[in-house]
Amino acid sequence: MEGPKILWVIPILGGVKITQTTLTSWIAMIIIMALAYWISRGISVEHPTKKQLVAEKLMSMLYNLVDGTMGKHNEHFAPYIGTLFLSSVFGSLLGMTQVLRSSTADLSTTAAWAIATMAMTWYGNISNNGFLGWLKSFTEPIVVMTPMNIISEVASPVSMSFRHFGNIAGGSVLTTLVYSALAALSAFVLQWIPVTFINTIPIFQLGIPAFLSIYFDLFSGFVQALVFSMLTMVYVGGANPPKAKSGI
C-alpha cells in the first residue's frame, strides 16, 4: 500500500507539504464545524426542534459515557473525547468516497492522537503526584520492574496508534486486492461471451466490494473510533483520580 501522495507544496518555511491525509483531515474538520454550526442554529428552551432534541440526547450520552469511565470530576474532557471520536469517524468514512484517502489510514494521524493522549496522561500524573512522584511510580511495586514499567509507558501510545491505523489501512488493502482479483476474474469469464455489451460489464465487481467497504470503512471505522476514545478515557481518567475530601 502506497503512502499518502503530496498534493501541493506551500512555498513557506522551506516548503509545507499538503498530503492526501492533510486534505482529508481538513475536510473532516470542516464537516464537524458545519454540523456544529447547523445544530446550534435555532436552539430554543421553550420550543426545541427535532435536531436539537437529537443533539441533546447525543451530548447526554457522551457526558454519561465520560462520567462512567473517567468519573464526573473529569467530565470537562467530554468535548475533547467527542471531537476525537468524530474526527476518527469522519476521517475513516471519507475514504469510502474513493476520491479521498482515509486520514486514519495514515500512521501519522493516529500517532499524533496517541501522543496527545499520553501527554495528557503524563500531565495528569505529574500534576497529581509531582514530577518526582511520577518518576517514583516507575519503580513500583519493586525497583526491578522499572525497565518494564518504562517500556509499558512507551508501548501504550505505540499500540494505540498502530491498532487504529492497522485496522483501517489493512481493510483498505484487502478491499483493493479483492477488487483487483474480481476485475481479473470478470475479464477472464466475460471473454468467452460473444455479446459485446455484456462482456464489458464487470459483473464480479458488483456488490462484493461494496459489502467489504461497508464493513471495513463503516463498521470498523466506528468500532476503532470508539476503542481509541475509550482507551483515551481510561488512560487520562486513571491519571486524574478524584480528589480526596479533607475531613473536619
Side-chain angles (χ1 to χ4, degrees), residues 110-111 113-118 122 151-163 228 235:
T110 56
W113 293 344
I115 291 172
T117 294
M118 298 317 299
W122 296 334
I151 293 175
S152 176
E153 196 75 8
V154 175
S156 295
V158 173
S159 63
M160 287 179 65
S161 57
F162 271 94
R163 179 187 293 108
F228 198 97
Y235 288 136

Side-chain angles (χ1 to χ4, degrees), residues 60-75 78 230 233-234 237:
S60 177
M61 292 172 59
L62 172 62
Y63 273 83
N64 289 336
L65 179 62
V66 172
D67 290 349
T69 307
M70 304 178 68
K72 192 170 182 62
H73 62 288
N74 283 321
E75 68 176 11
M230 290 296 295
M233 287 189 285
V234 170

Side-chain angles (χ1 to χ4, degrees), residues 16-236:
V16 178
K17 298 177 181 178
I18 306 300
T19 65
Q20 292 174 305
T21 301
T22 307
L23 177 62
T24 304
S25 299
W26 285 350
I27 293 176
M29 287 188 289
I30 292 173
I31 292 174
I32 294 172
M33 290 189 292
L35 282 175
Y37 176 76
W38 175 69
I39 291 173
S40 63
R41 289 179 59 85
I43 290 180
S44 172
V45 177
E46 293 80 11
H47 304 288
T49 60
K50 291 182 179 179
K51 68 176 182 179
Q52 179 180 339
L53 294 175
V54 172
E56 290 177 354
K57 179 61 177 179
L58 293 175
M59 289 299 295
S60 177
M61 292 172 59
L62 172 62
Y63 273 83
N64 289 336
L65 179 62
V66 172
D67 290 349
T69 307
M70 304 178 68
K72 192 170 182 62
H73 62 288
N74 283 321
E75 68 176 11
H76 57 278
F77 286 106
Y80 173 75
I81 299 299
T83 303
L84 180 63
F85 177 80
L86 291 177
S87 298
S88 177
V89 168
F90 284 113
S92 298
L93 293 183
L94 287 172
M96 295 181 67
T97 62
Q98 299 300 318
V99 176
L100 300 170
R101 175 189 172 93
S102 297
S103 59
T104 50
D106 189 341
L107 183 59
S108 62
T109 300
T110 56
W113 293 344
I115 291 172
T117 294
M118 298 317 299
M120 290 189 292
T121 302
W122 296 334
Y123 177 80
N125 282 324
I126 294 173
S127 298
N128 289 287
N129 304 309
F131 184 72
L132 294 179
W134 176 61
L135 293 179
K136 184 177 180 296
S137 66
F138 290 105
T139 64
E140 297 173 350
I142 53 178
V143 177
V144 294
M145 291 295 295
T146 301
M148 295 299 298
N149 289 334
I150 295 176
I151 293 175
S152 176
E153 196 75 8
V154 175
S156 295
V158 173
S159 63
M160 287 179 65
S161 57
F162 271 94
R163 179 187 293 108
H164 197 342
F165 156 75
N167 279 276
I168 302 301
S172 299
V173 172
L174 182 58
T175 302
T176 302
L177 291 176
V178 171
Y179 193 81
S180 300
L182 292 175
L185 180 61
S186 296
F188 175 76
V189 173
L190 294 177
Q191 69 177 337
W192 304 102
I193 299 177
V195 182
T196 305
F197 172 73
I198 297 179
N199 61 25
T200 58
I201 301 176
I203 57 175
F204 292 105
Q205 290 178 283
L206 301 177
I208 297 178
F211 283 110
L212 289 176
S213 180
I214 289 174
Y215 175 78
F216 288 113
D217 294 325
L218 186 61
F219 176 74
S220 182
F222 273 96
V223 170
Q224 293 306 315
L226 180 60
V227 169
F228 198 97
S229 299
M230 290 296 295
L231 288 174
T232 296
M233 287 189 285
V234 170
Y235 288 136
V236 177

